[in-house]
Amino acid sequence: MKWKSDNSDKIWSVRLLIEGERASVAHLKCGDETIQSDVTITFDKQSGSVYVNDDGKKLNPKITKVGDSWWVTVSGQTFVVTEALHNSKSTTEDQGGLTAPMPGIVRQVNVDTGQKVRKGQPLMVLEAMKMEHQIIAPQAGKIEAIHYNEGDRVEMGSVLISIFE
Amino acid sequence: MRPTAWMTNSPQPYESVLVANRGEIAVRILKAVRECGLRGIAIHNDLDRDGMHLEYADSVDHLRGEDLSSTYLSPEAIINSARRTGADAIHPGYGFLSERADFAKSVLESGLVWIGPPPEAIRLMGDKIRARESMIKAQVPVIPGRSISISDGEDPLPQLAAAAAEVGYPLLLKASAGGGGKGMRVVNEPKLLRTEYQAASREATAAFGNGTVYVESLLRGARHIEIQIFADSHGNVIHLNERDCSLQRRHQKVIEEAPSPAVDPELREKMGDAAIQAARAVNYEGAGTVEFLLSSQNEFYFLEMNTRLQVEHPVTELVTGLDLVHMQLMTAAGIELQLSQDEVSLSGHAMEARIYAEDPSTGFLPSIGPIARFDTPVGPGVRVDSGIRKGDEVTTSFDPMLAKIIVHAPDRNSAIQRLDHALSETILHGVKSNIEFCREILNTETFRGPGVTTDYLEGRPSTQSQNKTPPGLIEIIATAAERFGLSKSTGTPLGNQDKHSGHEHDPFTTLTKRFP
């Protein structure tokens, strides 16, 4: 996923590897620069809390979703990050930030980043409750980003693919 | 709850109190009112239907209108509300109508109990020039200064120059009716005298309807020390020690503490006596605060008297073990003070941080937004006086001061440590605040050492400190939060809640929200 924080112009791109209730960093990029990160995150379903393990140091961030942003307080500092869906000013409705209509698993990715697609083209297959669901391009455009890989678990509403018109 | 025995047996008993205020101070007062077994009455206007203070009242009255002038600031609307709700007494809180002598007078003339000082004392202290004159008469030291009287169309320069020659540069031009930094101008050199006078006078006219300005010597490197006083209707006046409120930005206090690191027992007694003199000079009753400037040579000067309960009253409560609102309620019922000056204690150290809805990264502009999360600290020696809770919305309609975190500890160092930690547990999401900024100040060498003077924050950069977290950590956490579906278990933004479903986790709400 791509993020923009309120106190910096840099766009961060993050892909996590999720195993059960533990997440590790599969890919972390700031702008064009790839950054190595050994941070792992554990999710406690019971309390709804997440814990960060940063090289043996345990952190307990407080996180709240407010509108489209996440407010994160960690080590006494509060940050606001918003998903950088797109470079254009358009809204989610017409810019093609395709979201998951249900929680599930990505079964198939049919396109690559940078590829041109036509309206109605199948982009991804999502599986949930033993049903397959096709993610279709709502308009013609260029694939700007694919936020999940085959086998990834997605939550309802997660942005799967960004299309640039 | 049963009314307390003292009230039932008092010379002027009353059963219900209308609190003509909102936010944290209304909550604070309503709690005290109910603790005394009295009926608490809260008011609100069109923009404040869900105000937190309404939760703490036995009766709620709606003042129609959106603007303050026809609601919280309207003496008529409030007195009518007291009639409608059958209130016996009115407590004004701070701000709004608390220091309006005409309002106090109308309350009394309506046959209601006024929980505040006599109208004449409010009037006298509200006029800075007259207050100054009364203080000179009562032999309370005042800042060297001179009043001037400029009639319409008159060139102010001759009088200004004469006054300036007397007090010296730098000097301060101050509105007679002023407060809150309005109508106040620093003049460093003679050639700016006329233009700055005109600016100050214009500002004063706009803010207070009175353009009278006087000239005062400007004290640099001074501390703001104020003495809490308390007077009953039987002629007893005591002081409850000092508070140091030197940490201010644009005349707005941020961190307050008691006792002051700059005041020793001898100076405390001298300043306390002067404050009592000041209160006696205007026949004061109830809770009041005499503000002084303390120069670097330890000389103190009368600044002004606030004829009301102050925002920072909790620090005095923690070091004295007293409940000032409780005492106000007793005094208004005609009861004598329950303790003498010798019985006033000063135990440990108390410190308060005001949480403002403001954004340090934009030069402390007020910020707005939903209170999506508000975690407050608890623990030994920690008190929270708050006027907000999760689900509220911070708008520009009301004051940006949202809550106060107050701590009590055995000594100053441990109070700083305790406040720093309490603030680290204070999590406010949805609206930007000065929490981190307060912690930054608490950790400066100057604050931890001798303490600060009133000009400390001037010129201090308002940007927040560098990101101290590992690179990308925030973005990693946000990604994990999305992926683990935490948006459904944490705060829901206001306005997205489906009214008819009545449940913030309603799947249909989520559906309409996420799939346009």
Side-chain angles (χ1 to χ4, degrees), chain B residues 18 30 39-45 48-63 81 84-85:
Chain B
L18 183 144
L30 285 162
R39 184 162 70 95
I41 303 161
I43 56 168
H44 68 95
N45 71 11
D48 208 15
R49 294 167 193 272
D50 301 317
M52 178 176 171
H53 63 296
L54 306 179
E55 265 185 47
Y56 295 85
D58 301 294
S59 317
V60 168
D61 193 36
H62 178 195
L63 307 188
S81 171
R84 255 199 314 276
T85 55

Side-chain angles (χ1 to χ4, degrees), chain B residues 96 116 131 147 159 176 181 215 250 293 295 300 310 329 336 378 393 395 423 441 469 478-479 486 502 515:
Chain B
F96 291 140
S147 29
Q159 281 198 52
S176 172
V215 184
R250 295 184 219 118
L293 277 182
S295 77
F300 63 88
Q310 302 229 166
L329 298 175
E336 233 182 307
V378 280
E393 183 102 30
T395 67
L423 288 171
I441 298 297
T469 61
T479 308
L486 255 77
F515 307 106

Side-chain angles (χ1 to χ4, degrees), chain B residues 124-258:
Chain B
L124 244 167
M125 285 302 185
D127 179 337
K128 301 286 179 278
I129 293 177
R130 279 179 71 195
R132 207 181 132 82
E133 283 161 1
S134 319
M135 291 309 105
I136 295 169
K137 222 185 281 172
Q139 294 188 309
V140 175
V142 297
I143 297 171
R146 236 186 87 171
S147 29
I148 48 174
S149 163
I150 315 281
S151 34
D152 276 352
E154 183 189 341
D155 180 9
L157 204 55
Q159 281 198 52
L160 284 169
E166 211 175 288
V167 305
Y169 290 93
L171 57 82
L172 199 58
L173 296 172
K174 240 170 157 180
S176 172
K182 290 197 187 87
M184 214 186 262
R185 280 284 201 269
V186 175
V187 187
N188 288 310
E189 46 182 329
K191 69 174 185 200
L192 296 171
L193 207 47
R194 192 202 308 257
T195 48
E196 292 297 330
Y197 165 80
Q198 283 158 346
S201 184
R202 259 199 317 274
E203 246 176 61
T205 309
F208 317 109
N210 176 353
T212 312
V213 168
Y214 68 104
V215 184
E216 210 174 74
S217 167
L218 178 72
L219 285 183
R220 288 212 187 270
R223 291 178 196 248
H224 176 113
I225 309 286
E226 54 186 38
I227 304 281
Q228 175 74 53
I229 64 103
F230 214 100
D232 64 17
S233 52
H234 302 267
N236 302 305
V237 187
I238 56 173
H239 77 82
L240 306 176
N241 307 314
E242 81 281 7
R243 291 184 289 259
D244 190 324
C245 315
S246 300
L247 197 88
Q248 315 184 344
R249 188 178 337 91
R250 295 184 219 118
H251 305 280
Q252 200 178 55
K253 296 165 185 167
V254 184
I255 294 174
E256 298 108 336
E257 60 184 306

Side-chain angles (χ1 to χ4, degrees), chain B residues 325-337:
Chain B
V325 178
H326 206 120
M327 287 166 72
Q328 285 186 303
L329 298 175
M330 291 179 94
T331 304
I335 297 170
E336 233 182 307
L337 274 171

